[in-house]
Amino acid sequence: MGLTPLETLIRRARALLPEDGVITDHARLRTYECDGLAHYRVTPALVVIPETAEQLAAIVRCCAELQIPYVARGSGTGLSGGSLPHAEGVLVVTSRLRAIKEVRREDQRAVVEPGVINLDVTRAATPEGYYYAPDPSSQQVCSIGGNVAENSGGAHCLKYGFTTNHVLAAEFVAADGDRVRLGGDAPDSPGYDLLGAVVGSEGTLGIVTEVTVRLVRLPEKVVTLLVGFDSTDRAGAAVSAIIAAGIVPAAIEMMDALAIEAAEAAVHCNYPDGAGAVLVIELDGPAAEVDAEYADVVRFCEETGAFEIRTAKTAEERFLIWKGRKSAFAAVGRISPDYIVQDGVIPRTALPEVLRAIAELSERSGVRVANVFHAGDGNLHPLVLFDDAVPGAGDAAEEVSRGILDLCLQHGGSITGEHGVGADKAGHMPKMYAADDLDTMQLVRCAFDPDRISNPGKIFPTPRLCGERPGRRQGAHPLQQAGVAEVF
């Protein structure tokens, strides 16, 4: 009897990779069964950990030849199930592609491999007077490759933009295993923006194996404020007043009372007692400009009801302020056994109304929701808390989570700001896009990956039978097998 396609791939992978770079043991495979969205779990058929781009491309080439689906994974910190494995496929882990190849001060860029940790780019560039601006809360552990796949953002994206604004070029392994270069040293290239199509494509077009990123000059002055309010309404009013005045802080972050409680329990950040909401506001730039903006920001906060304003006087105080904010996601684990990190965007002016609606949804359902988010650009990150050991609690939390996304759409927003669609929100795409829009996206995807083997099952909803409930699915849908429904 001949080998199955998977057995053939395993044999070839063992010839290509070091012994510890091919994982077939079921117990070890299970350690890769989810990314940061642990509510969804699928054990992959095979895990490979290449050490070079050549090895990675060779694995993808084998997958294409054998028609085996594959999913790329960096640090596994994604929060939308974007790197959720395929049960009959290969998980391609990029964590050993971790070289910072160049830091070029003269043209403000760095060349890195996809497994490089986000914060390590800034650590490498700081001695040259530069840093890497996109800074997800997980920047100490998340990888650049994952950031590119999800077009990640972070606290400072209000002023400096998302990952797509900082990627200048990339080496890319297409779904047939070919290695191609997108973008380049020139500021712009003629023709279609293929690099722009790849950034944020969530691994459905191929895998990035090298990234050239833009570096930003370290500012002359940075001022960080922690401002306490008795309600999210007052904090939201302060945000609107600051932005309306034409001030663009490097960051404006908001946490509500439940998020503050979680952060205090975890890292003792000493946020203002009794606060219904806090803002973390950071100003950076030329000293004279920052000083002028600081005076205005303090005035706007006082006028909108701030009861306490602290300004970090030392690097340690600034670190502690940010530690509370950046630890908030993980800190929620101190007050709830399980939680869903949701990610939706709304127009900034809709913040008070949407936050009140989320509070009402929480009260009606009995499901607690903590809010910590990028208030400056309306990027919400509600944390939906539940105990999966309680029958039905997970379903109730998912219902609330879906309701929050519906609220975002009702107010002219989006179902994701920086976490991606992944497996979690594919079912919401038809709420945001017409069928023709989704068909056009699928045609773009098919131009890169006609056999649909690169991260299948993400972004696009699978067809459902009439009356069928949304849920997790692997493999071909019965409608597709019967030839009834069109699937690209």
Side-chain angles (χ1 to χ4, degrees), residues 172-220:
F172 174 74
V173 175
D176 61 1
D178 279 355
R179 294 169 65 189
V180 299
R181 294 204 67 83
L182 305 172
D185 285 338
D188 193 15
S189 303
Y192 295 127
D193 182 10
L194 300 181
L195 180 62
V198 166
V199 178
S201 62
E202 305 190 24
T204 59
L205 304 184
I207 304 176
V208 167
T209 49
E210 182 185 283
V211 189
T212 302
V213 299
R214 186 195 314 277
L215 301 176
V216 177
R217 184 74 178 165
L218 287 168
E220 180 183 2

Side-chain angles (χ1 to χ4, degrees), residues 28 33 45 53 61 70 105 126 137 170 199 206 261 278 285 294 300 362 405 424 429 439 452:
R28 293 184 64 198
E33 66 183 3
R61 199 172 302 116
Y70 64 85
R105 176 181 180 178
T126 297
S137 296
V199 178
E261 176 188 335
V278 296
Y294 172 76
F300 289 133
S362 172
L405 292 183
D424 186 40
M429 288 288 275
D439 285 352
R452 305 175 308 279

Side-chain angles (χ1 to χ4, degrees), residues 345-357:
V345 180
I346 55 172
R348 185 173 46 245
T349 50
L351 271 174
E353 187 177 356
V354 171
L355 290 174
R356 281 195 295 273

Side-chain angles (χ1 to χ4, degrees), residues 42-110:
V42 176
T43 304
L46 172 67
V47 171
V48 296
I49 315 176
E51 295 181 334
T52 67
E54 291 81 4
Q55 291 174 349
L56 188 150
I59 292 293
V60 171
R61 199 172 302 116
C62 291
C63 289
E65 178 186 338
L66 299 166
Q67 289 295 285
I68 294 176
Y70 64 85
V71 177
R73 172 188 166 116
S75 297
T77 57
L79 292 167
S80 64
S83 58
L84 186 72
H86 191 290
E88 298 162 2
V90 183
L91 193 68
V92 182
V93 179
T94 62
S95 58
R96 291 181 181 171
L97 296 168
R98 197 174 281 195
I100 297 177
K101 295 182 173 180
E102 290 183 86
V103 175
R104 305 207 302 255
R105 176 181 180 178
E106 63 276 13
D107 53 7
Q108 301 183 354
R109 62 191 61 186

Side-chain angles (χ1 to χ4, degrees), residues 240-256:
S240 295
I242 292 167
I243 299 296
I247 298 171
V248 182
I252 305 183
E253 302 288 292
M254 189 190 298
M255 297 169 65
D256 71 5

